[in-house]
Amino acid sequence: MDTFALIDLAAIGILLIAAFVHGAFGFGFPLVATPLLVLLMDMRAAVLLTLLPTIAINLVSIATERRWLEALRRFWPIPVFTMVGSLIGTRILLSVDPEPFKLLLALVLIVFLILQRTRGDGPEHRIPHWGLALLGLGMGLLAGLVNVFSPIVVAFALYTRMHPALMVATFNLSFITSKSGQLTGFALQDALDPTLIQLALWALPAVLTVLWIGIRVRRRLDEETYRRWLNRALWAIAVVLILDSV
């Protein structure tokens, strides 16, 4: 078996692990897949390989959400400007050397891990539409550059104390629009590698199957124990990315 075949198998394995985590927690596909993939390939290839599976996973998630229409009505500037930001971020990613973005991704993971340890309570804070637009733009820029905007999501959720179901619906919509912006950015730069697209499509049925298994496991899982092990794994990935960047 040649080196490229081994890399493809390893990449598919990473996609399946990330899909299981997403099913078990309701989030996490790009958060887990991207830092692991950049240990095998450059950031551009890692982002492109995750685009179609992420869109499919979030379409499934939206289909199971009951409050996505309310989320769209109240928070529409977030997904709209996430698409704009991701398009800008993708054009930057494709225009410069992507190697330094490994370090940025590691920092994003660390900020996420620190922020999610904080808990917020109290009444929900309302944000004006211009504030939601800036939030969406920032999320999109991070999505375009490193394929992850979880720290902004966590910070926003902690500040606004919005209902968890409404937050999940809002950010599932934002994931869809951010991936649409990224795909558009790759297409405009003629950077849609057919080999990676084919690999993503080939892996998609298995990814969705493992996602379903993760959703089933979620109902029986000791979430705190699993979340603790996931956080440890993400800390380890962040350290490896930093060491690989210096």
Side-chain angles (χ1 to χ4, degrees), residues 104-148:
L104 177 59
L105 178 57
L107 295 176
V108 168
L109 286 179
I110 291 171
V111 172
F112 168 78
L113 289 164
I114 293 172
L115 282 175
Q116 74 159 353
R117 297 175 64 89
T118 308
R119 295 290 184 267
D121 48 33
E124 181 178 335
H125 294 161
R126 295 291 183 126
I127 306 296
H129 281 171
W130 65 265
L132 298 178
L134 289 177
L135 173 73
L137 190 65
M139 288 167 52
L141 284 170
L142 267 184
L145 291 173
V146 296
N147 209 33
V148 172

Side-chain angles (χ1 to χ4, degrees), residues 5-246:
L6 287 173
I7 290 175
D8 288 350
L9 286 176
I12 291 173
I14 289 170
L15 295 180
L16 296 181
I17 291 170
F20 179 82
V21 170
H22 191 106
F25 286 114
F27 75 98
F29 183 79
L31 181 68
V32 173
T34 308
L36 289 175
L37 286 172
V38 297
L39 299 176
L40 301 176
M41 57 189 69
D42 66 32
M43 181 67 74
R44 296 168 183 165
V47 170
L48 183 56
L49 184 58
T50 61
L51 287 184
L52 293 179
T54 304
I55 289 173
I57 285 173
N58 282 280
L59 284 173
V60 171
S61 299
I62 288 173
T64 63
E65 295 292 338
R66 297 179 179 179
R67 303 187 69 174
W68 69 270
L69 282 175
E70 179 186 356
L72 187 60
R73 177 178 57 81
R74 287 183 56 186
F75 300 105
W76 63 265
I78 297 178
V80 169
F81 281 87
T82 298
M83 177 180 287
V84 176
S86 64
L87 179 57
I88 297 171
T90 301
R91 290 181 68 87
I92 296 173
L93 177 67
L94 295 174
S95 302
V96 300
D97 178 12
E99 190 64 23
F101 294 125
K102 285 186 180 181
L103 183 58
L104 177 59
L105 178 57
L107 295 176
V108 168
L109 286 179
I110 291 171
V111 172
F112 168 78
L113 289 164
I114 293 172
L115 282 175
Q116 74 159 353
R117 297 175 64 89
T118 308
R119 295 290 184 267
D121 48 33
E124 181 178 335
H125 294 161
R126 295 291 183 126
I127 306 296
H129 281 171
W130 65 265
L132 298 178
L134 289 177
L135 173 73
L137 190 65
M139 288 167 52
L141 284 170
L142 267 184
L145 291 173
V146 296
N147 209 33
V148 172
F149 53 60
S150 300
I152 298 182
V153 173
V154 174
F156 179 77
L158 290 173
Y159 175 73
T160 62
R161 303 183 179 104
M162 65 192 299
H163 190 281
L166 195 58
M167 182 192 71
V168 170
T170 300
F171 291 112
N172 274 328
L173 289 168
S174 299
F175 273 115
I176 295 293
T177 56
S178 73
K179 300 310 155 188
S180 300
Q182 286 174 281
L183 272 177
T184 302
F186 273 94
L188 290 174
Q189 297 289 102
D190 196 25
L192 289 174
D193 185 335
T195 302
L196 290 173
I197 296 295
Q198 184 179 15
L199 181 62
L201 289 172
W202 188 86
L204 192 55
V207 166
L208 293 177
T209 299
V210 173
L211 174 72
W212 177 79
I213 294 172
I215 292 172
R216 296 283 299 234
V217 169
R218 188 196 310 174
R219 300 167 185 171
R220 307 178 182 180
L221 200 61
D222 178 354
E223 186 172 338
E224 283 304 314
T225 300
Y226 193 40
R227 188 182 299 276
R228 185 164 58 248
W229 281 103
L230 176 63
N231 287 348
R232 290 173 181 174
L234 292 175
W235 275 111
I237 292 168
V239 170
V240 171
L241 286 173
I242 291 172
L243 293 175
D244 193 46
S245 301
V246 298

